[in-house]
Amino acid sequence: MKNSEQLYKALSERILILDGAMGTMLQRYQFQEEDYRGERFKNWEHPVKGNNDLLSLTQPHAIAEVHKKYLEAGADIIETNTFSGTTIAMADYHMEDLVYELNYESAKIARKACDEYTAKNPDKPRFVAGSIGPTNRTASLSPDVNDPGYRAITFDELRIAYKQQCEALLDGGSDILLVETIFDTLNAKAALFAIDELQEERDIKIPIMVSGTITDASGRTLSGQTAEAFLISVSHLNLLSVGFNCALGANQLTPYLETLAHNSEFYVSAYPNAGLPNAFGKYDETPEDMAEQIKEYVEKGLINIIGGCCGTTPEHIKAIADLVSQYPPRKLKEFV
């Protein structure tokens, strides 16, 4: 991977900034069904509104614009618009056959934006993280309360789907593969297995970011793991970073980041939501409020990569970037 050296060098020098929410920004465009369809899918037999990954093909200018706003705000790492980019998630729209193209084109859009900003300031290289979401099926839990042993997906089906997504993300120019918003560690293990297969087949070392989701105040993922158990479950691979994103605001995430920071030999990432959603599902936390809460992370030396999830905007990312630029990154622990 050609940019790996620069990536590790940057991480040793400063806290890197990950971008913020894509969905929050796309809502501003108020795209309707026909916008999602574009010319190419004008006669598609099924509704496609809400398929944000499809916008990389039908509204690529909007995706590029969002990326550039985050780069302008100070982001070092840009996520591809591929959160639902597997055959499993795309089955909802009957678009399984488009998966390779969706991931490839999304990575290309992010790559082009990052290269533009790196050219402007070569001392601040920008990196593309191929976003790999959890899919809408879980390998650990039954979707049927009357049949607890039933599973809607197998490990192997997940592995095959993730592998196809990862191949396209790499071919399109991703520097990093980001397995994110993990609520079921078994799903994540299928993704990691697929990535490991690719490392072997292509004879490359892929920087892998892993980011779990603590779903509520119990401090566990949806499939029941504590932060420590989650860390142990994914530590068999040589990861770039491990961290948490989504579900909680910055304040609520602190104790779980402490667990990771004190027990992990990898870099630690965090990208919380802009607080908790209000009664209408909106996020009210201002950039200033969010940066103030993240101050605790940097004062305690907990993080190496920081960004934003649901409800965050370029304004949030800029406030966070301005704050963390004054602090050193967390030092890596060495375990014997």
Side-chain angles (χ1 to χ4, degrees):
M1 303 288 285
K2 62 179 171 47
N3 291 335
S4 289
E5 228 168 274
Q6 284 182 304
L7 176 61
Y8 279 93
K9 183 175 184 293
L11 276 164
S12 69
E13 294 167 351
R14 57 196 170 86
I15 297 170
L16 294 193
I17 306 297
L18 190 67
D19 60 6
M22 175 60 81
T24 304
M25 295 299 289
L26 290 175
Q27 281 167 11
R28 296 180 176 185
Y29 290 88
Q30 298 186 316
F31 287 138
Q32 299 306 310
E33 180 71 30
E34 60 271 23
D35 302 306
Y36 276 86
R37 286 172 177 264
E39 196 52 41
R40 179 172 165 189
F41 301 100
K42 198 164 63 176
N43 301 317
W44 197 256
E45 287 175 21
H46 310 276
V48 295
K49 188 180 174 187
N51 184 356
N52 283 351
D53 294 26
L54 181 63
L55 295 172
S56 293
L57 302 184
T58 55
Q59 304 289 342
H61 64 282
I63 305 300
E65 207 167 62
V66 173
H67 288 332
K68 286 176 184 178
K69 283 181 175 157
Y70 282 122
L71 287 161
E72 205 57 56
D76 298 286
I77 302 171
I78 291 293
E79 290 185 58
T80 56
N81 178 41
T82 54
F83 188 78
S84 301
T86 55
T87 48
I88 297 158
M90 280 296 142
D92 287 358
Y93 302 97
H94 304 269
M95 288 184 154
E96 298 95 318
D97 291 347
L98 289 169
V99 162
Y100 184 91
E101 187 186 357
L102 283 172
N103 285 281
Y104 180 78
E105 292 301 329
S106 295
K108 270 178 69 176
I109 294 167
R111 175 81 276 151
K112 187 166 182 279
C114 284
D115 289 348
E116 245 174 70
Y117 276 77
T118 300
K120 285 182 195 173
N121 181 3
D123 292 338
K124 186 178 165 69
R126 315 296 178 107
F127 306 97
V128 176
S131 165
I132 301 161
T135 84
N136 46 7
R137 308 258 179 106
T138 163
S140 293
L141 304 167
S142 171
D144 181 355
V145 289
N146 299 313
D147 186 359
Y150 172 70
R151 297 291 178 269
I153 192 97
T154 66
F155 184 89
D156 216 42
E157 286 167 335
L158 284 163
R159 175 189 67 80
I160 291 163
Y162 281 131
K163 191 169 180 184
Q164 183 188 16
Q165 181 179 26
C166 293
E167 283 177 321
L169 287 170
L170 291 173
D171 294 347
S174 299
D175 301 302
I176 300 161
L177 290 179
L178 166 57
V179 183
E180 63 170 325
T181 322
I182 299 162
F183 59 80
D184 180 348
T185 309
L186 195 54
N187 283 38
K189 277 180 169 288
L192 294 171
F193 192 97
I195 295 168
D196 210 26
E197 278 189 321
L198 279 175
Q199 292 194 115
E200 210 168 301
E201 286 167 17
R202 297 189 176 198
D203 194 22
I204 53 173
K205 185 180 176 326
I206 303 164
I208 308 163
M209 292 176 68
V210 166
S211 185
T213 291
I214 299 287
T215 44
D216 55 36
S218 70
R220 292 172 182 267
T221 64
L222 191 65
S223 54
Q225 286 189 312
T226 61
E228 203 160 7
F230 169 71
L231 174 63
I232 292 164
S233 297
V234 296
S235 290
H236 59 291
L237 271 183
N238 184 17
L239 304 175
L240 174 73
S241 69
V242 65
F244 288 117
N245 73 292
C246 203
L248 303 175
N251 262 355
Q252 295 91 345
L253 210 50
T254 309
Y256 313 118
L257 288 176
E258 287 180 317
T259 298
L260 296 185
H262 298 150
N263 295 294
S264 173
E265 62 210 78
F266 309 123
Y267 292 111
V268 170
S269 72
Y271 47 118
N273 292 343
L276 296 173
N278 62 25
F280 304 102
K282 301 276 187 232
Y283 293 85
D284 300 324
E285 201 161 85
T286 66
E288 295 69 35
D289 287 345
M290 195 170 174
E292 187 53 43
Q293 291 173 34
I294 280 167
K295 200 172 183 181
E296 188 178 0
Y297 298 177
V298 285
E299 284 178 342
K300 289 181 171 177
L302 302 180
I303 53 164
N304 304 93
I305 300 168
I306 183 77
C309 206
C310 305
T312 57
T313 63
E315 292 73 29
H316 288 85
I317 296 305
K318 184 173 187 332
I320 292 166
D322 290 347
L323 167 81
V324 305
S325 65
Q326 303 157 48
Y327 292 85
R330 164 184 164 270
K331 285 194 166 41
L332 283 196
K333 287 190 179 306
E334 284 184 23
F335 294 93
V336 179

